[in-house]
Amino acid sequence: MRMLLVGLMACALHPVSRASPPIDVTILCDAGYPTFLLSYWTRDRPSGRVSLPWAIKALTQDTARAVGLHDRGILAVGYKADLNIIDYERMNVYRPYITSDLPGGGSRLVDDPDGYVATIVSGKTVYSHGKPTGELPGKLVRGRQEARSALALQAS
C-alpha cells in the first residue's frame, strides 16, 4: 500500500439558476474531480497520463495561488498544513447520486470516493477512512491570506 500526502482541496460551488419561479439556487459540487484526476489521469488512463507530482501541485499550490490563499498549498514552515492522506492504489470515484439533505428538502449531487485514509485540518483528523470523526477545527477564510515567514514564526 503506497500512502501519499495530498494537500486538502475545497470544491468550487457553482450556482445554477433554474427557470421556474420562485428563483432559487442549486449547488453543484464536483467534489469527485480531485479523485478522478488522481486516479484516472495519473494512474488508469491508457496513454497521455499526467505525472502524479503535476496533479498534486495543480490541486494544491496552483489552486491556492489562483484564489489568493498564499498561506497554503505547500508543506513548509509558515504554511497552513491541511492534508489528505491517500491510498493511491485504492483511489476511485463512483457514479454520483442525488440526495435530498439540504434545508427545505433541496437536493444535491454527491459522490463517495475510495482511497482517502485521513483528512487532517489544523492538526486534527476530521475524516478517517471516509467517516467524519466529529472534529471541526476549520474556520471561514475571508479574502487573501499571506504566508507567514519562518522568521516571523520564530519571533511569535
Side-chain angles (χ1 to χ4, degrees), residues 14-20 22-28:
H14 302 283
V16 179
S17 62
R18 299 191 297 202
S20 61
I23 296 173
D24 58 359
V25 176
T26 298
I27 305 267
L28 170 64

Side-chain angles (χ1 to χ4, degrees), residues 26-134:
T26 298
I27 305 267
L28 170 64
C29 181
D30 192 9
Y33 169 73
T35 308
F36 185 73
L37 176 63
L38 292 172
S39 61
Y40 180 75
W41 283 96
T42 71
R43 186 191 66 205
D44 299 339
R45 185 174 165 89
S47 63
R49 292 180 188 160
V50 298
S51 73
L52 185 58
W54 181 92
I56 291 171
K57 182 178 179 286
L59 291 171
T60 58
Q61 184 178 9
D62 294 348
T63 302
R65 298 292 178 276
V67 297
L69 300 177
H70 299 281
D71 66 337
R72 58 201 77 205
I74 64 172
L75 292 175
V77 172
Y79 286 77
K80 188 162 177 48
D82 293 348
L83 302 171
N84 277 323
I85 301 172
I86 64 170
D87 180 344
Y88 184 63
E89 284 76 26
R90 286 191 55 240
M91 293 294 294
N92 195 14
V93 66
Y94 300 98
R95 180 180 299 233
Y97 59 92
I98 295 173
T99 186
S100 298
D101 61 354
L102 295 175
S107 298
R108 65 188 178 106
L109 193 62
V110 297
D111 45 44
D112 295 323
D114 275 339
Y116 289 89
V117 176
T119 299
I120 302 166
V121 176
S122 299
K124 304 283 185 186
T125 301
V126 297
Y127 276 84
S128 179
H129 299 280
K131 304 284 188 235
T133 64

